[in-house]
Amino acid sequence: MTQSTELDPEDRKIITLARSARARNGVAEGAAVRDETGRTYVAGTVELASLKLSALQTAVAMAVASGAKSLEAAAVVTEADRPAAADLSAVRDLGGPETPVLLAGPDGEVRTRA
């Protein structure tokens, strides 16, 4: 699957935001989620001595902390071949089992849709 015409413009937007977060912060992953009202939350990997969160976990936590009740979609930009199980769990906890998780490479090309 590629990012071109196969993606909804709103999904393309969260991939672009995730890429930007990764590049801007120089972190391993960038992520973005879209809540039930269309608001987006963008985050990068958090790596502190006392706290480690993936970019997607951070974006979900930001959505929850801002009052989101559900998620429409999530995207993560990473070198990995598939989303981590903990990332999928975080998205599904808030968005439900059908919430799409798009995994894209650093070039923005979608590799998988979970």
Side-chain angles (χ1 to χ4, degrees):
M1 171 188 235
T2 62
Q3 187 177 337
S4 62
T5 58
E6 296 179 33
L7 284 180
D8 174 276
E10 291 299 313
D11 290 344
R12 200 168 312 132
K13 175 183 170 184
I14 61 173
I15 291 169
T16 299
L17 291 169
R19 278 184 81 196
S20 297
R22 182 178 183 269
R24 180 178 57 251
N25 298 319
V27 292
E29 297 178 341
V33 298
R34 185 175 61 249
D35 74 9
E36 76 282 1
T37 68
R39 291 180 297 183
T40 56
Y41 305 88
V42 182
T45 309
V46 173
E47 290 192 39
L48 301 172
S50 62
L51 179 65
K52 296 192 184 317
L53 295 171
S54 72
L56 200 46
Q57 290 170 333
T58 306
V60 169
M62 291 171 64
V64 170
S66 296
K69 303 296 182 211
S70 184
L71 294 177
E72 290 182 350
V76 62
V77 173
T78 180
E79 295 281 351
D81 293 331
R82 62 182 155 279
D87 287 352
L88 292 175
S89 293
V91 170
R92 298 311 184 333
D93 282 350
L94 183 58
E98 301 302 316
T99 306
V101 177
L102 305 168
L103 182 134
D107 61 358
E109 184 173 329
V110 176
R111 294 180 184 162
T112 64
R113 181 183 181 110

